[in-house]
Amino acid sequence: METLLLNSEDVHHNTSMAELIPAIEEAFAAYENGNAKMPAKSYIDLPQYNGDFRSMPAYLDTGEWDAAGIKWVNVHTDNEEQFDLPTVMGTMIYSEPENAFPLSIMDGTELTMQRTGAAAAVATDHLAVEDASSMGIVGAGVQAYSQLEAISEIRDIEEVVVSDLDEARVAEFIDTFEDRFTVRSGTPRDAAHCDVLSTVTPVRNPIIGPDDVGEHTHINAMGADAEGKHEIEDDVLLNAKLVIDDYAQTTHSGEINVPWANGVLDDDDLYGEIGEIVVGKKAGRTAEDGVTVFDSTGLAIQDVAAAHVVYEHASERDNGTGFDLLGLA
């Protein structure tokens, strides 16, 4: 047996949103039904390098397939300026649960981007209005692309408003999608008035307030992944149907972490976890709902589910490079 090495191009080529979205939904269901194991994300802070490492292991069993793996990911904020490297890089080790053989080592950066978009799509499918046709995106970095690709898979998106302080990023985003959607630049408020809004910024001072959002806007709050990050004003969260991906992670480092630490939000303000909605324990959007919010921190079960999709297709298509990692040949 060989271990399959998959670079970012291989991961991208073998990630179909049409298959990834249901796989992520199955992962949420497995976790909610007690068929997944996901230890808490662990952090190694490296203040001397203005960065950190994070380890994210998981196992899940959907009934039709099971999978295991661990993602090793970093956030080093000085990388681009000092080393011409990405701020965030990840490596995924995907293993055979039955015997622990390392089936694949794959780029975790592209994997993270794709599964994060798919997670937002799952939440949007359950929480956005059925006839949603407009989407706003605040933050025109790499994550913005997979947000639109994924959400347009489950809603008939026609109009897109993108907002970013970097005009070059906005122009590049518009150029990429203008043949498929009506795309324009706008303010955060313009973006937040759309049927669906995804925020993908690293800000610590909220940029979306109560007067910005539409009456029935669904918000995917995707940017907060560490203590202190906060994109959405407290009043929006307090008045919305607030859904999280995982209690421990969101209260520690998700969009709700700041108001939670300040005592502004507590358990009574949380509607539930996305897994509860996926399996039918709680309702998604109802006729009475106004603004809905999905607080996503990104879960290891999502990485493992995405790695499963990528590995299966890469094996079928003979993509990647096989090598004898363990010296068993």
Side-chain angles (χ1 to χ4, degrees), residues 7 10 137 197 262 326:
N7 64 19
D10 295 323
I137 303 174
L197 169 68
N262 293 335
L326 302 184

Side-chain angles (χ1 to χ4, degrees), residues 11 15 73 85 107 123 126 133 136 140 143 146 152 165 208 216-217 250 276-277 281 297 309 323:
V11 172
T15 307
V73 63
L85 286 171
D107 171 53
H126 289 278
S133 62
Q143 187 55 245
S146 65
S152 63
L165 295 175
I208 302 296
H216 299 287
T217 299
T250 52
E276 295 178 282
I277 295 175
K281 291 181 180 178
T297 54
V309 172
F323 66 109

